[in-house]
């Protein structure tokens, strides 16, 4: 099983730096309740956030209770990306806290029993798969189709890692490469399996243009902006206008709420440790401000789109 800790530590440090440099521009109202730190409960006016990208941390025994505290303070619902070994703990937590925890199955597409794992996740009430990553072949390799066929039958959301991938240990051979997780591979999956909602993590970093174009033409494709992109581009967030360029044009396809904004193809995902989720919220808001993302689109990105897809209870 991949060790997610080193990545989370690395990304967490990166986003903390970014937030301190952006704090003056983090103005969106939705952050108000999260930034004061004065109340443990969410402000009644705080908009719900749905985070597509929360990795279950097997090394933290108090993970579920820690997460529930964050959910309360940020008015957050977390899609918890859960290793097969922890499937029952998270399934039970989701049953008890359906407004805060949505279970997603984290598995290795190359595992010999991957199809059985998918079926068991489904039987336990899981709502999708992800983050699929560290694959040994391109995402669109036909050997992975049995998994996608099941996900299509279940009309699941599937979160795929896209773009640059970490190296777990320097100086040792590793059978993993970014080129097998390019956003362009997601187009074939989205078209062959149209009942899957294909979510690409990290917006293809650095292949943002491919990611956005595939999202533009395929109603069932969305991306999150987790990872290093919002940090890397913090001084040039306006560049996202060039990537999500088609707002209001006749080129758009079907979007949530028929939103004409190109940014409606983005969803919120943090991919950091629990204590750092709020900093990623600020990073998203800084991008929204830089690109004049309309208020109703911000609400959909931060939670509305995923809440509708997942039919979340209040
Ligand atoms: Zn990833």
């Amino acid at each position: 099983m991949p060790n997610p800790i080193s990545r989370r530590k690395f990304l967490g440090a990166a986003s903390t730096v970014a937030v301190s440099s952006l704090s003056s521009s983090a103005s969106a109202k939705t952050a108000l309740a999260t930034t004061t730190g004065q109340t443990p409960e969410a402000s009644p006016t705080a908009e719900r956030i749905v985070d597509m990208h929360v990795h279950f941390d097997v090394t933290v025994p108090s993970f579920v209770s820690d997460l529930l505290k964050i959910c309360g303070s940020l008015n957050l619902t977390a899609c918890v990306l859960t290793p097969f070994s922890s499937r029952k703990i998270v399934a039970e937590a989701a049953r008890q806290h359906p407004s805060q925890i949505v279970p997603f199955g984290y598995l290795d597409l190359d595992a010999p029993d991957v199809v059985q794992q998918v079926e068991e996740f489904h039987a336990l009430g899981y709502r999708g798969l992800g983050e699929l990553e560290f694959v040994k072949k391109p995402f669109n390799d036909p050997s992975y189709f049995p998994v996608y066929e099941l996900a299509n039958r279940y009309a699941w959301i599937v979160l795929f890692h896209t773009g640059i991938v970490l190296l777990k240990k320097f100086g040792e051979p590793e059978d993993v490469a970014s080129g097998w997780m390019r956003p362009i591979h997601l187009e074939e999956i989205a078209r062959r399996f149209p009942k899957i909602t294909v979510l690409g993590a990290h917006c293809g970093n650095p292949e943002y243009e491919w990611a956005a174009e595939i999202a533009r033409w395929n109603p069932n494709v969305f991306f999150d902006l987790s990872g290093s992109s919002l940090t890397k581009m913090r001084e040039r967030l306006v560049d996202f206008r060039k990537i999500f360029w088609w707002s209001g044009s006749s080129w758009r396809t079907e979007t949530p709420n028929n939103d004409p904004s190109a940014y409606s193809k983005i969803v919120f995902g943090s991919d950091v440790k629990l204590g750092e989720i709020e900093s990623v919220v600020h990073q998203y808001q800084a991008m929204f401000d830089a690109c004049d993302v309309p208020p109703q689109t911000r609400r959909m990105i931060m939670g509305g789109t995923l809440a509708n897809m997942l039919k979340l209870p209040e």
Side-chain angles (χ1 to χ4, degrees):
M1 184 197 311
N3 174 6
I5 304 310
S6 56
R7 171 179 54 185
R8 230 87 48 220
K9 275 190 182 151
F10 168 75
L11 292 172
S15 59
T16 304
V17 170
V19 165
S20 58
S21 70
L22 288 169
S23 55
S24 60
S25 65
S27 63
K29 288 179 213 139
T30 50
L32 239 54
T34 72
T35 53
T36 62
Q38 290 167 354
T39 54
E41 298 300 321
S43 152
T45 57
E47 300 274 358
R48 175 190 228 164
I49 298 169
V50 182
D51 188 339
M52 185 58 230
H53 204 135
V54 177
H55 287 272
F56 182 82
D57 190 340
V58 295
T59 68
V60 179
S62 59
F63 182 86
V64 169
S65 59
D66 294 351
L67 174 60
L68 288 170
K69 282 182 205 142
I70 300 282
C71 290
S73 65
L74 299 185
N75 192 10
L76 181 114
T77 302
C79 297
V80 178
L81 312 174
T82 309
F84 191 69
S85 58
S86 303
R87 64 197 179 281
K88 290 182 182 165
I89 298 168
V90 175
E92 182 55 31
R95 254 190 296 278
Q96 288 179 19
H97 306 281
S99 299
Q100 283 81 37
I101 295 176
V102 185
F104 276 71
Y106 180 95
L107 45 71
D108 174 2
L109 276 179
D110 295 285
D113 63 341
V114 65
V115 168
Q116 291 93 306
Q117 289 188 29
V118 173
E119 288 169 338
E120 186 163 345
F121 275 129
H122 183 255
L124 284 168
Y126 276 65
R127 306 296 305 278
L129 297 175
E131 179 186 19
L132 303 182
E133 56 186 342
F134 302 115
V135 279
K136 308 294 184 210
K137 290 165 277 189
F139 277 140
N140 59 344
D141 191 276
S143 66
Y144 299 146
F145 284 7
V147 170
Y148 304 149
E149 276 160 14
L150 274 179
N152 194 56
R153 189 186 309 163
Y154 304 149
W156 265 355
I157 295 173
V158 181
L159 178 69
F160 294 84
H161 174 94
T162 60
I164 188 70
V165 68
L166 59 80
L167 180 61
K168 277 183 244 167
K169 286 186 182 166
F170 297 150
E172 290 185 18
E174 190 167 357
D175 191 17
V176 167
S178 315
W180 304 333
M181 294 177 275
R182 299 180 65 184
I184 195 168
H185 300 317
L186 301 191
E187 182 185 55
E188 181 181 351
I189 297 164
R191 291 181 177 187
R192 280 183 183 272
F193 305 99
K195 289 185 182 150
I196 298 179
T197 298
V198 173
L199 278 182
H202 323 304
C203 203
N205 181 16
E207 293 186 321
Y208 307 113
E209 287 200 75
W210 265 117
E213 291 300 319
I214 290 161
R216 179 165 70 92
W217 269 112
N218 295 281
N220 56 334
V221 176
F222 296 80
F223 286 90
D224 80 29
L225 297 178
S226 67
S228 54
S229 296
L230 289 170
T231 303
K232 172 172 61 176
M233 294 168 73
R234 63 189 180 277
E235 305 297 338
R236 50 183 172 100
L237 290 170
V238 72
D239 284 2
F240 279 100
R241 291 174 189 254
K242 297 180 201 162
I243 299 161
F244 292 91
W245 59 269
W246 62 91
S247 296
S249 79
S250 58
W251 288 102
R252 69 187 170 87
T253 57
E254 189 184 313
T255 57
N257 287 354
N258 293 317
D259 189 342
S261 171
Y263 301 100
S264 65
K265 302 301 302 205
I266 298 171
V267 296
F268 180 70
S270 65
D271 194 22
V272 290
K273 290 200 291 186
L274 297 178
E276 291 152 4
I277 293 174
E278 186 177 352
S279 69
V280 183
V281 172
H282 296 319
Q283 289 191 306
Y284 267 70
Q285 287 162 344
M287 187 279 279
F288 297 160
D289 289 345
C291 297
D292 288 330
V293 177
Q296 68 273 18
T297 307
R298 298 181 186 211
R299 284 195 291 274
M300 293 301 284
I301 293 170
M302 294 307 293
T305 297
L306 283 165
N308 291 347
M309 283 178 190
L310 292 161
K311 300 183 174 61
L312 292 182
E314 286 303 311

